[in-house]
Amino acid sequence: MRRNKWVLNTTDTPLFFLLSQLIIAVVLFLFAHMAGLLQLPLQLDMQVCKGLIPMVGLNVIGLSFSNYTLKYVDASFYQVARGMVLPFTVGTSFFLLHARPSLRIFAACAVVTIGFFVGVFLDGTEVSVVGVTFGVLSSMITALHSVVIKKSLDVVHGSALHLSWYTNLLSACLLAPGLVLVGELPGVMKLLFGPNESAPGEMSTLSTFVMGSIITGVFGFLMSVASLMSIKVTSPITHMVSSAVRGVAASILGYYLFHDTITNGRASSIAIILLGSIWYTWIKHVESQPAASKAQYEPVALDEMEQGKSKSENGHVHRHSLGRGARD
């Protein structure tokens, strides 16, 4: 995010910047394939492509809104603007995955929501309405995206690497005409062929764009694979919590690198969001313990044990002779 903000401060083409990152990720995938580090399905399966349409569409929209959020708000406020990711993800999991949250989960989401409103309305400093709007929309899309990833893994037979490959490639193909439709083409031509507008002694706008694209493209490639594998082995909401913690670190970096203002209200907002996320993680840990135990070991009532009863895996009740009866 830090490098993204650096580039977005100097250019007016956030979608072209995103497209550059996606293309770099695709090139890195191809290099890794040629080097034998991983195997990719270079011959695209059209059935797989059709099955990944929801995933790719949400990915492009979510990343675009995220870049627009970062363009209109400070780096230190980015975490606040996207602070509703956890509540939206819980709600999405409830409606799409039928994962019914407990009252304590609702309470944790309420804490996160309070943190969001503290940062937006009680901070005392002027915030960009456009940036906050893009942040909320980005949070909603991210919540949907994290849930759809779980289902999209089935389309590629559970391979997180193949899913990341398809996602980056198809997202780049979809975004290319998209940036033309939203009117970024003149800005792209100005960036590539226009005069340098940077101050004397500073890096040129094009050089900043190219360097930022390469750095963020490489890290984006690594994080894309890591994120998909994280969701594969954990859950969509746990993945969102780790993203929230990473966002707090980014806010701190924004303060030191871009000299962003972190007021008491903004710091309180970030702290409340983080505490709500940590509380949610603790609740999920506690709630998962009895469920795991129950799934592995089916308890048998004490009076049934005294009568020599137990349950088999298919649920049938069997009687076992005990004590003297076993010797008869």
Side-chain angles (χ1 to χ4, degrees):
M1 188 196 76
R2 176 182 53 170
R3 289 290 183 180
N4 283 8
K5 185 62 178 177
W6 177 46
V7 175
L8 292 173
N9 280 343
T10 59
T11 65
D12 295 320
T13 56
L15 294 188
F16 182 59
F17 178 47
L18 177 58
L19 177 61
S20 302
Q21 293 173 311
L22 292 172
I23 292 175
I24 291 172
V26 170
V27 171
L28 290 175
F29 265 114
L30 292 175
F31 275 128
H33 177 82
M34 290 186 292
L37 299 177
L38 49 87
Q39 296 297 317
L40 298 174
L42 298 183
Q43 186 173 359
L44 300 181
D45 187 334
M46 295 309 299
Q47 289 299 118
V48 173
C49 293
K50 291 180 180 178
L52 295 179
I53 289 176
M55 161 92 172
V56 174
L58 289 173
N59 185 61
V60 170
I61 297 173
L63 290 176
S64 301
F65 284 177
S66 179
N67 268 16
Y68 277 117
T69 303
L70 192 56
K71 179 175 178 60
Y72 288 105
V73 302
D74 295 339
S76 62
F77 190 74
Y78 178 79
Q79 170 66 14
V80 178
R82 299 188 74 249
M84 292 296 290
V85 172
L86 177 59
F88 285 148
T89 307
V90 171
T92 303
S93 297
F94 172 72
F95 287 108
L96 297 184
L97 301 181
H98 307 292
R100 185 175 181 179
S102 65
L103 291 177
R104 290 188 296 179
I105 292 294
F106 277 121
C109 290
V111 172
V112 173
T113 304
I114 291 172
F116 170 78
F117 283 111
V118 167
V120 173
F121 296 108
L122 302 180
D123 182 35
T125 58
E126 184 179 356
V127 296
S128 170
V129 177
V130 175
V132 173
T133 301
F134 275 121
V136 173
L137 293 175
S138 174
S139 300
M140 295 175 62
I141 298 300
T142 301
L144 286 170
H145 183 251
S146 63
V147 173
V148 171
I149 286 177
K150 278 285 191 179
K151 296 184 177 182
S152 298
L153 280 167
D154 296 334
V155 179
V156 292
H157 309 292
S159 174
L161 286 174
H162 288 184
L163 181 58
S164 183
W165 157 250
Y166 271 104
T167 301
N168 282 276
L169 178 61
L170 297 178
S171 295
C173 294
L174 180 62
L175 189 61
L179 65 88
V180 177
L181 293 176
V182 300
E184 276 198 12
L185 189 57
V188 173
M189 300 302 294
K190 179 181 178 182
L191 173 66
L192 297 178
F193 306 108
N196 178 30
E197 297 180 351
S198 299
E202 294 184 356
M203 185 180 297
S204 68
T205 304
L206 182 58
S207 298
T208 301
F209 181 88
V210 172
M211 181 175 295
S213 297
I214 293 174
I215 295 175
T216 56
V218 171
F219 281 98
F221 164 74
L222 297 175
M223 290 180 63
S224 173
V225 176
S227 296
L228 291 176
M229 295 185 71
S230 170
I231 294 179
K232 178 181 178 180
V233 300
T234 58
S235 69
I237 306 178
T238 303
H239 170 72
M240 289 301 103
V241 173
S242 66
S243 299
V245 176
R246 187 175 67 242
V248 173
S251 298
I252 297 174
L253 287 175
Y255 171 75
Y256 286 104
L257 295 175
F258 300 109
H259 307 290
D260 293 343
T261 301
I262 299 185
T263 62
N264 292 333
R266 188 171 297 184
S268 301
S269 173
I270 295 174
I272 294 171
I273 292 173
L274 181 60
L275 287 175
S277 301
I278 294 175
W279 186 29
Y280 161 82
T281 305
W282 178 81
I283 293 171
K284 290 294 291 184
H285 172 73
V286 172
E287 291 182 350
S288 66
Q289 297 305 308
S293 301
K294 185 176 181 180
Q296 295 178 7
Y297 305 104
E298 184 77 9
V300 181
L302 181 60
D303 58 343
E304 290 183 348
M305 292 181 65
E306 291 176 347
Q307 296 174 22
K309 296 180 181 180
S310 67
K311 291 186 178 180
S312 66
E313 292 182 0
N314 59 9
H316 296 297
V317 178
H318 301 284
R319 291 183 178 272
H320 302 284
S321 297
L322 298 176
R324 185 176 59 186
R327 296 191 297 269
D328 291 341

